[in-house]
Amino acid sequence: MPALTPDTIRTATETLTGLTDYLRDSPDPVEALALVEPLLDESTGLPVQLADTLRALARAVQDHPDTPRGKATNLLVDELRTAAWELTDQHTLHYALDDLRALYGSVGASGPGGCWCR
């Protein structure tokens, strides 16, 4: 895996921006579903991944020896963890994918999690 940099992360967010712009142009729903489906996968989708990232950031801040200790830091760490739990709750969006597949008569995806991206 290449080294992570702010630019590599920006590339990921730019890709999401491109997807959003594409979806705003009213594409074929089946094509749109195929593009969005990996983002909402119940195990590897964005809600789960971002939640894990926020938890890891909270742990990195809390465990680093140079982090100032005190109430303000504890509140920031708690805020990151709370946001992570809220994002994790969004993992149920994959149920909407099932409903969309049924709506458009998709045969469904293959592999675990039912995601076409695998």
Side-chain angles (χ1 to χ4, degrees), residues 13-27:
T13 59
E14 288 168 4
T15 299
L16 288 174
T17 299
L19 174 60
T20 301
D21 291 344
Y22 172 79
L23 294 172
R24 287 181 179 143
D25 288 337
S26 301

Side-chain angles (χ1 to χ4, degrees), residues 68-118:
R69 306 296 172 202
K71 185 176 181 177
T73 301
N74 292 341
L75 289 173
L76 287 170
V77 168
D78 288 345
E79 187 174 340
L80 290 170
R81 289 184 175 145
T82 298
W85 277 111
E86 290 171 1
L87 284 163
T88 300
D89 287 344
Q90 299 304 310
H91 82 281
T92 58
L93 287 169
H94 74 276
Y95 293 121
L97 293 176
D98 294 338
D99 294 340
L100 285 167
R101 281 188 214 105
L103 180 66
Y104 289 101
S106 298
V107 174
S110 61
C115 180
W116 292 337
C117 62
R118 295 173 198 219

Side-chain angles (χ1 to χ4, degrees), residues 27-43:
D28 176 74
V30 174
E31 290 176 18
L33 176 60
L35 292 172
V36 172
E37 194 169 22
L39 299 176
L40 299 180
D41 182 85
E42 68 181 299
S43 301

